[in-house]
Amino acid sequence: MSSITSEVALDLFPFLKVYKDGTLKRLAGVEVVHPGLDPETNVLSKDILILPKTGVSARIYRPNLVTEPQKLPLVVYFHGGAFCAASPASLEYHTSLNKLVAEANIIALSVDYRLVPEHPLPTAYEDSWAALQWVASHKEENGNHEAWIKDYVELDEVFLTGDSSGANIAHHLALRIKESNLSYKLKIAGIGMIHPYFWGTNPIGSEVTDQFRKELVDKWWLYVCPSDKGCDDPLINPFVDGSSDLANLACDRILVIVAEKDILRDRGKLYYDKLVKSGWKGKAEFMETEGEDHVFHIFHPDCAKAKSLIQRLASFFKM
């Protein structure tokens, strides 16, 4: 790397570095693994192409043993990474999805939406929306159907789930469904929101005293979504003017999970509180993990609290 290239223009710790010549180096989610049979969980996975035109793909998971004609819930999963890092093939996400599928006895579709900066927002939302439309197409008799969905999925039990920016995506998709004709084709049974990535210009809770991390999260968002609305863009702040009413979320149940030491914790709690008071007709559930930080279960999947989180999600899908 030349001396000019090696000069860092922007350090978006812990996700990536942008250099003065315009190149970038991703730091998180770069270790990838191949799909296949996971011997620890006995879960099968494979990569599938969803949209040939754009190259949007997904990694689909199922238990190795599915008793026919048993039909399983489908969890459409959106990974985190602040819209600019990671993928379904990242080691941490592949491991987490294997464990979730084994615990919950579900089919999971982990969407590989395209990342910032190569694909500016709202590309991640549009790719994820296209993935939902593709799932809904399996209710049609004619079409290019994925065998694992056709053979094993109960299409009236579809859940949206994600962590961090992925939970943000799930929120926006559930609002968009309500306003589209997709609501006639696809019923969303629930949303599992793990450490959701919501933000705002005016600090609340621990953001007031934790100036370092407040500035860090500000910098992440202003990089992935450079707009005149800044951290009060409706994409990141669901409570500002121009945001859709939470009462319009197209699902029956929502589980909001936060972590005590997470700088995003207070936003997640605020989301839950406002949801309960919004007039939304569904059932809201809340879980807080004490003593842990943002997406700890992704980085420490074998710790007791990570296992507890996965078990809570699994029970949410079964209820």
Side-chain angles (χ1 to χ4, degrees):
M1 187 177 286
S2 69
S3 59
I4 296 177
T5 306
S6 62
E7 292 186 55
V8 177
L10 183 63
D11 187 349
L12 287 174
F13 177 85
F15 299 111
L16 53 83
K17 289 183 179 180
V18 182
Y19 295 91
K20 288 189 175 181
D21 70 347
T23 61
L24 62 89
K25 179 180 180 182
R26 286 193 164 87
L27 307 174
V30 294
E31 185 180 357
V32 301
V33 292
H34 296 294
L37 176 63
D38 178 51
E40 179 185 342
T41 58
N42 200 29
V43 169
L44 282 170
S45 60
K46 64 180 180 179
D47 291 334
I48 56 176
L49 182 63
I50 292 178
L51 295 173
K53 184 177 180 180
T54 59
V56 174
S57 63
R59 181 163 292 187
I60 190 168
Y61 298 78
R62 70 170 176 88
N64 191 22
L65 298 175
V66 180
T67 305
E68 293 189 16
Q70 180 186 18
K71 294 285 189 174
L72 305 179
L74 174 67
V75 172
V76 183
Y77 194 92
F78 308 100
H79 67 81
F83 299 99
C84 64
S87 77
S90 301
L91 173 62
E92 295 85 358
Y93 280 104
H94 183 67
T95 299
S96 183
L97 265 292
N98 277 322
K99 291 180 180 296
L100 179 60
V101 169
E103 181 68 34
N105 193 35
I106 56 172
I107 307 297
L109 184 78
S110 184
V111 179
D112 193 11
Y113 56 84
R114 290 171 291 174
L115 302 176
V116 173
E118 295 92 340
H119 304 281
L121 293 182
T123 300
Y125 297 99
E126 294 302 326
D127 288 351
S128 300
W129 178 250
L132 272 193
Q133 291 179 307
W134 176 82
V135 169
S137 73
H138 287 74
K139 283 199 166 185
E140 302 168 2
E141 290 189 10
N142 299 320
N144 186 20
H145 293 168
E146 162 54 43
W148 287 9
I149 294 180
K150 179 175 176 288
D151 295 341
Y152 302 123
V153 164
E154 174 52 69
L155 281 170
D156 288 328
E157 289 188 63
V158 176
F159 292 83
L160 307 182
T161 301
D163 64 280
S164 195
S165 55
N168 175 303
I169 290 173
H171 159 80
H172 284 287
L173 294 188
L175 289 171
R176 186 169 177 178
I177 288 172
K178 191 84 169 185
E179 301 165 355
S180 75
N181 60 7
L182 197 64
S183 61
Y184 299 105
K185 299 179 182 179
L186 194 65
K187 176 179 171 56
I188 303 300
I191 304 176
M193 308 183 75
I194 312 166
H195 309 166
Y197 181 24
F198 298 123
W199 203 237
T201 300
N202 297 322
I204 64 172
S206 64
E207 301 165 19
V208 176
T209 54
D210 194 343
Q211 189 64 27
F212 173 75
R213 289 206 293 175
K214 170 72 168 68
E215 292 176 357
L216 200 63
V217 182
D218 285 345
K219 187 163 64 171
W220 296 344
W221 179 251
L222 296 176
Y223 174 73
V224 301
C225 188
S227 76
D228 58 355
K229 297 176 182 177
C231 292
D232 281 333
D233 190 294
L235 287 176
I236 195 67
N237 189 341
F239 312 123
V240 293
D241 290 342
S243 295
S244 297
D245 192 331
L246 293 183
N248 292 327
L249 286 163
C251 62
D252 296 329
R253 296 164 49 236
I254 292 181
L255 170 62
V256 180
I257 301 176
V258 301
E260 180 188 13
K261 294 184 177 181
D262 185 3
I263 188 67
L264 301 181
R265 181 259 178 203
D266 296 298
R267 298 284 171 174
K269 182 65 167 61
L270 178 65
Y271 182 93
Y272 170 79
D273 290 340
K274 285 188 174 291
L275 177 63
V276 170
K277 299 173 183 176
S278 69
W280 175 66
K281 302 301 182 182
K283 178 184 177 183
E285 303 174 42
F286 184 79
M287 173 186 180
E288 180 170 357
T289 306
E290 296 180 356
E292 296 293 347
D293 211 328
H294 192 62
V295 296
F296 72 94
H297 67 294
I298 296 292
F299 298 106
H300 307 287
D302 294 318
C303 73
K305 291 179 180 178
K307 292 178 180 178
S308 177
L309 187 155
I310 294 298
Q311 289 167 358
R312 179 65 184 275
L313 268 177
S315 66
F316 178 73
F317 300 143
K318 294 175 182 176
M319 292 174 62

